[in-house]
Amino acid sequence: MFTAMGGLPVVAIGPYKLANSVLLAPMAGITDLPFRHLAWRLGAGLVYGEMTVARPDLWHTRKSIERRTLDRRIQPAAVQIAGAEPKWLADAAQRHADDGAQIIDINMGCPAKKVCDKAAGSALLRDEGLVRSILEAVVKAVDVPVTLKIRTGWCPNTKNAVTIARIAEASGVSALTVHGRTRACRFKGCAEYQTVSEVVTSVAIPVIVNGDIGDVDKAKSVVERTGAAGVMIGRSALGAPWLPGQIARGLAGAVPRELDFAERILIMREHLDAMHRFYGVERGVKIARKHMQWYLQGLQLDAQRIRLFNRLDNPELQQRFLGELNPTLDKAA
Ligand SMILES: Cc1cc2nc3c(=O)[nH]c(=O)nc-3n(C[C@H](O)[C@H](O)[C@H](O)COP(=O)(O)O)c2cc1C
């Protein structure tokens, strides 16, 4: 699975050969354009956008429009759609492709209530016939490669990831990501990788393993255990958009290096500026608080200082706060 050079072989999704095999997970409310651009610039092999709901009446909401916005600097542009109606998903995929998306992912992995209430996301895993209809409809609707993201099954007693993977391959899906938990497990317990390795041996398309991978050693051991073509990083990248790139370099044999205080502050300021520009001042300031809190925790700032940041209500004050952080007083992790 590792090449003689120590890295993973190149993952190809349709015509796209990824720069490396470490992918940023789609995360609603997190992997917006500012975050994706940073993760991409800092070395992630592929960055997926937040899921967009396929329902046509939700297509023109501000949220949907923001989530569908692409940045030409990020190539290939990978988006994710969620829904349960094959025609809606096919139409949504087509619209994304018309807007410039180069890879369309289908979300059958998200346990979020809002998605599952509409019997979408991982709720679909229970209905294999519907999964087939959706995949066939979407693959047929677009010329760009379609990928699929699933969990290992609906619940621990009904792990049907292998069946779903075979359906996906037969339907023309180009790559598959498997999160090593069932839908019922939500985010509890630890991800298990045995089912992922069974999926890997059952299909010929690239399989990406996801769940609880947060450093190079874990990525290496999970790839060794599963034979997966790549890894996908989710929550560990919160407040650490450099992590997928760092893991990719580690898998390729580089000695892992922690970013120092000054490097982190530079990235935080770039992220802050990008959020202010993307969302506008009022929303940008609020959305920035969520991300900055994770970065500041990573710098081991105490809760009181973080609360101070959260009270700042304009972009200049937020930038100044970061600019005035001091590596000796505000000790880095
Ligand atoms: C805040 C949040 C939002 C998420 N949104 C999505 C989503 O939009 N689409 C999706 O397929 N998975 C979504 N997920 C699941 C992640 O992509 C990933 O599968 C999961 O977090 C497990 O990986 P991790 O252990 O590396 O975090 C989300 C997870 C989190 C924590």
Side-chain angles (χ1 to χ4, degrees), residues 77 103 140 253 283:
I103 294 176
K140 198 168 149 215
R283 289 174 62 231

Side-chain angles (χ1 to χ4, degrees), residues 108 116 119 121-131 153-155 158 160 164 183:
M108 294 192 191
C116 287
S122 54
L124 292 171
L125 297 176
R126 229 171 11 177
D127 187 342
E128 292 165 6
L130 181 56
V131 169
W154 172 257
C155 69
T158 57
N160 60 346
I164 299 283
R183 193 250 164 202

Side-chain angles (χ1 to χ4, degrees), residues 283-303:
R283 289 174 62 231
V285 162
K286 288 190 183 131
I287 291 166
R289 290 180 188 144
K290 172 172 63 180
H291 289 275
M292 290 302 135
Q293 165 191 296
W294 291 316
Y295 286 105
L296 293 170
Q297 283 164 354
L299 289 172
Q300 293 191 338
L301 238 68
D302 61 44

Side-chain angles (χ1 to χ4, degrees), residues 25-30 49-51 80 105 107-110 149 151 179 181 187 210-213 232-236:
M27 287 184 282
I30 314 287
E50 307 162 271
M51 67 176 162
Q80 191 189 57
D105 190 63
N107 178 349
M108 294 192 191
C110 186
K149 182 162 176 286
R151 289 186 167 227
H179 175 189
R181 287 186 176 83
F187 284 96
N210 169 239
D212 298 352
I213 301 170
M232 178 180 274
I233 311 297
R235 290 163 295 168
S236 304

Side-chain angles (χ1 to χ4, degrees), residues 4-34:
M5 303 296 287
L8 282 169
V10 174
V11 178
I13 299 183
Y16 302 110
K17 290 192 172 59
L18 304 191
N20 62 61
S21 317
V22 183
L23 287 64
L24 177 70
M27 287 184 282
I30 314 287
T31 57
D32 56 8
L33 204 55

Side-chain angles (χ1 to χ4, degrees), residues 16-126:
Y16 302 110
K17 290 192 172 59
L18 304 191
N20 62 61
S21 317
V22 183
L23 287 64
L24 177 70
M27 287 184 282
I30 314 287
T31 57
D32 56 8
L33 204 55
F35 191 83
R36 292 207 300 286
H37 179 252
L38 258 185
W40 168 253
R41 187 177 76 61
L42 295 167
L46 184 71
V47 295
Y48 276 108
E50 307 162 271
M51 67 176 162
T52 55
V53 177
R55 249 176 63 180
D57 56 316
L58 297 177
W59 190 252
H60 296 291
T61 62
R62 178 175 70 180
K63 190 194 246 183
S64 177
I65 292 165
E66 276 173 358
R67 287 186 176 188
R68 284 176 3 237
T69 308
L70 299 177
D71 180 334
R72 295 278 148 233
R73 293 171 295 179
I74 305 173
Q75 297 276 329
V79 301
Q80 191 189 57
I81 53 177
E85 174 59 49
K87 171 136 179 44
W88 288 356
L89 280 154
D91 289 349
Q94 221 162 32
R95 280 188 301 240
H96 271 294
D98 290 346
D99 290 347
Q102 292 158 307
I103 294 176
I104 312 269
D105 190 63
I106 303 175
N107 178 349
M108 294 192 191
C110 186
K113 221 170 174 223
K114 263 201 285 191
V115 179
C116 287
D117 278 353
K118 291 174 199 140
S122 54
L124 292 171
L125 297 176
R126 229 171 11 177

